[in-house]
Amino acid sequence: MLRWVRQQLGFDPPHQSDTRTIYIANRFPQHGHYVPQKFADNRIISSKYTVWNFVPKNLFEQFRRVANFYFLIIFLVQLMIDTPTSPITSGLPLFFVITVTAIKQGYEDWLRHKADNEVNGAPVYVVRSGGLVKTRSKNIRVGDIVRVAKDETFPVDLVLLSSDRVDGSCHVTTASLDGETNLKTHVAVPETAVLQSVANLDKLVAVIECQQPEADLYRFVGRITISQQTEEIVRPLGPESLLLRGARLKNTKEIFGVAVYTGMETKMALNYKSKSQKRSAVEKSMNSFLIIYLIILLFEAILSTILKYAWQAEEKWDEPWYNGKTEHERNSSKILRFISDFLAFLVLYNFIIPISLYVTVEMQKFLGSFFIGWDLDLYHEETNQRAQVNTSDLNEELGQVEYVFTDKTGTLTENEMQFRECSINGIKYQEVNGKLTPEGFSEDSPDGNRHSLMKEEELFLKAVCLCHTVQINADQTDGADGPWHANGIAAPLEYYASSPDEKALVEAASRVGVVFTGTSGDSMEIKSLGKPERYKLLHVLEFDPNRRRMSVIVESPSGEKLLFTKGAESSILPRSKSGEIDKTRIHVDEFALKGLRTLCVAYRRFTPEEYQEVGKRLHEARTALQQREERLADVFNFIERDLELLGATGVEDKLQEKVQETIEALRLAGIKVWVLTGDKHETAVSVSLSCGHFHRTMNILELVQHKSDSTCAEQLRQLAKRIKEDHVIQHGLVVDGTSLSLALREHEKLFMDVCKNCSAVLCCRMAPLQKAKVVRLLKTSPEKPITLAIGDGANDVSMIQEAHVGIGIMGKEGRQAVRNSDYAIARFKFLSKLLFVHGHFYYIRIATLVQYFFYKNVCFITPQFLYQFFCLFSQQTLYDSVYLTLYNICFTSLPVLIYSLFEQHVHPHVLQSKPVLYRDISKNAHLGFKPFLYWTILGFFHAFVFFYGSYLLMGEDTSLLGNGQMFGNWTFGTLVFTVMVITVTMKMALETHFWTWINHFVTWGSIVFYFIFSLFYGGIIWPFLHTQDMYFVFVQLLSSGSAWFAIILIVVACLFLDVVKKVLYRHLQPTSTEKAQLTEAGSGINCLDSMCCVSAGEAAGASLRGVLERVTGRCGAGRPSRCGISLGSLCCRRLSYKLEPEEPAAVDV
């Protein structure tokens, strides 16, 4: 009973076995003791909040931020004790920040709810009570038989029961799961494949036992027990029987399947990996600065409290005649009075902590991220793909990268394979005019004569045509006329393959005479020199990364049982006992040196007894529920031995455009490039040389093929010694996967020392997790460098997620890398623009934004602190409470936000053509302690000038107002506040290099708005305000000519030294960036227009129209002809000259 109660309360979850038992159509056994297992319903939930928990959960998350929690405490203190300022002064900004953030997060979650409801409410057909019943997706239960029609998406994870094909097969595409657009074939077990009608399926009595849900898309272990009359038939179920939720049915009219995993237990839902939150270096610096300012705040509050009591030690100041104490105040505890006064000063100075900083930074990151997607220079026309931003939290991190880790295949190369050479029976061949020609043999025969193939050549090509997972377009195989054009000429077959290598090999074989024409049931059909042959497919030994090979067992037309195997030479050659092994090994190495991807091909003939043993072992391993993978691996090893080597293939994967230039630019920018690939050593080195990763003059060091710790350590010590001796020349390091494992086990520090002293590092034969381990190793080293990982395949996901910044390439290996990345681009060459331009701009913008926020708040609160020395530390406020509230929200917020979105201190073309400028901002140079100290001291200096300048010029004079009235404390405070608003706004204007009409509007508009607001606020008696201290104060201040003189003089005095400092530094110690600005000025680049580029003849309203188009997303790929500079750079024009795409930019670099 107690256990049941604990289970109901959730403290003791019910025991779950390692397997689940599913009764098809929910026909449970009739005996009384059976308790059905509990399964999840089929609702998908991707949302974060519900209507009931949104407010508490969102508030909890927001108040976990230090600044928000701090202002909440201040607000509560103001409510509880008598403080000098109204609770509204801190409550309103806090409410504004919390509300804006909650609205943003609530809207994003509402969109997720909307998407969930659309998915969960989709109509589906289920077999119930002998007929098809239409219901909603969320109502599907485990065990239901579901019907899915052509081009529909599977609503749950299904085990295929039957299809409209006799053999029970169907084709699906898993593009939405792993991005692979090829057709995959799935098959039903023979006993259920014949049940093609609802009536027959309704009579099916069967039980499925399978593993509990797991995230691995390619792993499924189960078995189905079918009851037929008196016997029970057991069949294995594997990934080929499982149809995944999110996949789409293709080239098949309809299928029936039984639901095995539903809702959040489907493999698609389990792959909704909650990525660990990545935090940028700027955010960490921001938090450090916040702590320093908290210390300053506490110091000022404690000092003020102590000075108050020191001042009141004299009796005449303790209780002056005009401000007598009440009886309660005289009798209260001194400790309580001290605490109360300390809290009051804390409240008075609390605005030194900029609460609106967080919301401004969030808006800057969110809005700024659109510029990457809008940048036409990052648009790839051939594939119609734009750059994509998956997270905007790391924009500025793009400007801090020190190490780039890149995949090779599909990232540096096109992943478009072209057959180049092969080796058959120890002889090298090339394809010439659609014929296999031995090396050195000139082909003189006319094209019309068919070249006859030798026996070895034909067997090799048959192996290539039979050992693969290639599919053929169904329109070509299903037609009655076969693959023929209307004019009677044979049409080339259209192949689909998950591996580009396989597709290239099958297409090459078809060109030279052995054509794979498709599958029919369990048969594979080929045409060898025009003669049709049918091979019965008996077993497929699937490819896996550990074996690095795949095999098929087929029955030839003559009845012979044959095994065809292809894979990496390291997994095929050691298992071969005959054939030209030595010659083939030499040829494979030669292919690799040319940068070709190599595969070896072998075969084996089975005797009837051997095949019987193989079939028995395979059946036992495939029907096992426990340790199925291990058993299958053992059986595969047993089968794939004593091979006869047929030959090897060499396929070229050509380099992407401008890869060499991009890698060279990264090197000039001070970024080290590491290539992490699964390719063999020779291929990887060859590609590294061809793409410029390794230079021909570079000293290449190798750490490869080590089997023990001792040899690996000794080699590392020798490499370290060589680097020390030859420190003048550049070094490149090559390390393979096995040696890397040994090096990381016990010699991590030595390995890292060697790597850091090398200009380029190449890691080959790498497993996916090894890639992530290398990134983590460097990321956590003492220097804590910022890392970037870029790749295009599912095997790069772990590396992409581990790095500070992960970039996915929209390649041909699917979309998993793109989905799990922070940013996605179509080609590797776009990386230079992303880092050198966007990264540079984002970093400069946010670094200035953060430090400017702290500066303007120091300017704001320091006069308040100084004022206490003139009012006996009575906690009298210098500014009106409305000014306190609106200073950060209205008067000074927009200029810095617009600056942080549009600032371009150097022209984009200069940044991209001079990668060395990237070094100026590396290692968080603009947000280090020195720049922070400069901005803080500048803030204190300006605050002292505001206060004492106003005091010296106006404070002692009582007759400056036109009507002869005395100059009061509110007038003095308003004068200080007016000077401050103008100065901090002008300071932002001094920092701005790139002026658009928006910058002009918000900069001068903020000052004008302040004056207009103050006139209205002080010129009218507002009935809802219980005090009207500011009535007519501002009007009287502006009526005094002396006040205007004081304002101008103080503003000039503040900014004059700043201007002098800038001029002197620029001429005496200019940085590379400042030199580039001078180069830019000399070249005549002039940024007069804003947002979208226009020609000189366009109307004046074109700019505004461009802004609107940008906001609505219409300033897109259709507009590249209007401007050679990208939209994402907020491009500009010269009035007399229009940049065209084919013209070089007018930048002399």
Side-chain angles (χ1 to χ4, degrees), residues 522 536-540 553-555 561-562 611 622:
D522 58 355
K536 186 177 181 183
L537 183 62
L538 302 172
H539 297 285
V540 177
I553 301 175
V554 296
E555 184 179 320
K561 306 291 192 301
L562 301 170
Y611 177 71
R622 282 187 163 144

Side-chain angles (χ1 to χ4, degrees), residues 161 188-195 204 224 226 228 233-235:
L161 294 177
V189 297
E191 286 72 21
T192 62
V194 295
L195 307 174
L204 175 64
I224 182 169
I226 304 150
Q228 287 188 347
I233 300 168
V234 180
R235 295 285 184 192

Side-chain angles (χ1 to χ4, degrees), residues 414-459:
E414 286 284 7
N415 205 10
E416 275 183 15
M417 308 303 172
Q418 293 179 332
F419 176 79
R420 291 293 179 221
E421 296 183 64
C422 65
S423 169
I424 305 174
N425 200 31
I427 301 168
K428 274 207 290 188
Y429 290 82
Q430 291 179 328
E431 185 187 351
V432 179
N433 296 329
K435 302 179 180 68
L436 270 187
T437 308
E439 193 177 48
F441 176 77
S442 61
E443 180 61 71
D444 297 325
S445 58
D447 293 342
N449 297 338
R450 182 172 291 280
H451 171 60
S452 60
L453 296 169
M454 291 192 298
K455 183 184 173 186
E456 295 86 355
E457 296 171 354
E458 189 175 1
L459 186 58

Side-chain angles (χ1 to χ4, degrees), residues 20-29 34 39 126-128 141-146 158-162 189 191-192 195 198 200-209 223-227 233 237 256-260:
R20 57 170 51 189
T21 305
I22 299 155
Y23 291 87
I24 293 180
N26 291 305
R27 289 194 177 84
F28 302 117
Y34 175 73
F39 301 120
V126 178
V127 176
R128 285 181 187 157
R141 298 169 297 170
V142 171
D144 281 345
I145 299 174
V146 182
L158 300 164
V159 165
L160 180 60
L161 294 177
S162 66
V189 297
E191 286 72 21
T192 62
L195 307 174
V198 173
N200 288 336
L201 284 166
D202 195 49
K203 297 172 187 172
L204 175 64
V205 178
V207 179
I208 291 175
E209 293 170 273
R223 66 182 173 208
I224 182 169
T225 306
I226 304 150
S227 301
I233 300 168
L237 298 174
F256 290 94
V258 59
V260 287

Side-chain angles (χ1 to χ4, degrees), residues 41-272:
D41 61 26
N42 198 38
R43 285 181 302 158
I44 287 290
I45 303 168
S46 64
S47 54
K48 192 175 181 181
Y49 306 106
T50 66
V51 174
W52 310 110
N53 73 8
F54 174 72
V55 173
K57 193 173 181 180
N58 188 264
L59 286 177
F60 173 73
E61 287 174 353
Q62 291 207 56
F63 283 118
R64 286 168 68 184
R65 279 185 165 171
V66 177
N68 289 350
F69 184 71
Y70 161 78
F71 269 89
L72 178 65
I73 297 297
I74 293 292
F75 177 64
L76 294 175
V77 167
Q78 285 179 294
L79 289 174
M80 288 188 290
I81 66 170
D82 182 23
T83 55
T85 57
S86 163
I88 293 172
T89 57
S90 56
L92 189 62
L94 178 65
F95 177 76
F96 174 75
V97 169
I98 296 293
T99 304
V100 167
T101 309
I103 289 169
K104 173 179 169 282
Q105 292 177 348
Y107 173 70
E108 287 173 351
D109 205 61
W110 175 74
L111 292 177
R112 286 191 284 266
H113 271 284
K114 194 176 173 186
D116 289 347
N117 291 337
E118 203 173 304
V119 170
N120 295 330
V124 292
Y125 287 92
V126 178
V127 176
R128 285 181 187 157
S129 307
L132 272 180
V133 178
K134 187 177 181 179
T135 184
R136 293 182 182 275
S137 173
K138 63 183 179 183
N139 298 329
I140 297 175
R141 298 169 297 170
V142 171
D144 281 345
I145 299 174
V146 182
R147 172 189 170 270
V148 180
K150 184 180 179 180
D151 292 326
E152 286 182 355
T153 302
F154 300 117
V156 287
D157 287 355
L158 300 164
V159 165
L160 180 60
L161 294 177
S162 66
S163 72
D164 63 321
R165 298 169 188 249
V166 179
D167 60 355
S169 68
C170 71
H171 297 299
V172 305
T173 175
T174 56
S176 62
L177 294 173
D178 56 14
E180 293 178 3
T181 54
N182 60 292
L183 297 180
K184 294 183 173 72
T185 305
H186 292 258
V187 290
V189 297
E191 286 72 21
T192 62
V194 295
L195 307 174
Q196 294 180 308
S197 68
V198 173
N200 288 336
L201 284 166
D202 195 49
K203 297 172 187 172
L204 175 64
V205 178
V207 179
I208 291 175
E209 293 170 273
C210 62
Q211 62 188 151
Q212 293 291 0
E214 66 170 26
D216 191 341
L217 293 175
Y218 309 107
R219 186 173 182 272
F220 178 67
V221 178
R223 66 182 173 208
I224 182 169
T225 306
I226 304 150
S227 301
Q228 287 188 347
Q229 295 164 354
T230 56
E231 64 172 338
E232 287 189 345
I233 300 168
V234 180
R235 295 285 184 192
L237 298 174
E240 72 285 348
S241 305
L242 188 68
L243 305 170
L244 300 178
R245 177 176 190 141
R248 192 177 290 273
L249 185 65
K250 290 284 185 184
N251 294 354
T252 311
K253 187 179 174 185
E254 66 174 13
I255 64 98
F256 290 94
V258 59
V260 287
Y261 304 129
T262 49
M264 298 308 291
E265 292 183 340
T266 57
K267 289 185 180 286
M268 184 179 79
L270 293 174
N271 274 277
Y272 292 156

Side-chain angles (χ1 to χ4, degrees), residues 1086-1126:
N1086 188 14
C1087 294
L1088 296 176
D1089 202 27
S1090 61
M1091 300 302 283
C1092 280
C1093 297
V1094 291
S1095 65
E1098 285 192 76
S1103 298
L1104 183 58
R1105 186 174 70 246
V1107 175
L1108 294 173
E1109 287 179 349
R1110 290 287 296 280
V1111 172
T1112 56
R1114 287 167 52 204
C1115 204
R1119 294 191 56 184
S1121 61
R1122 295 184 61 187
C1123 176
I1125 305 172
S1126 68

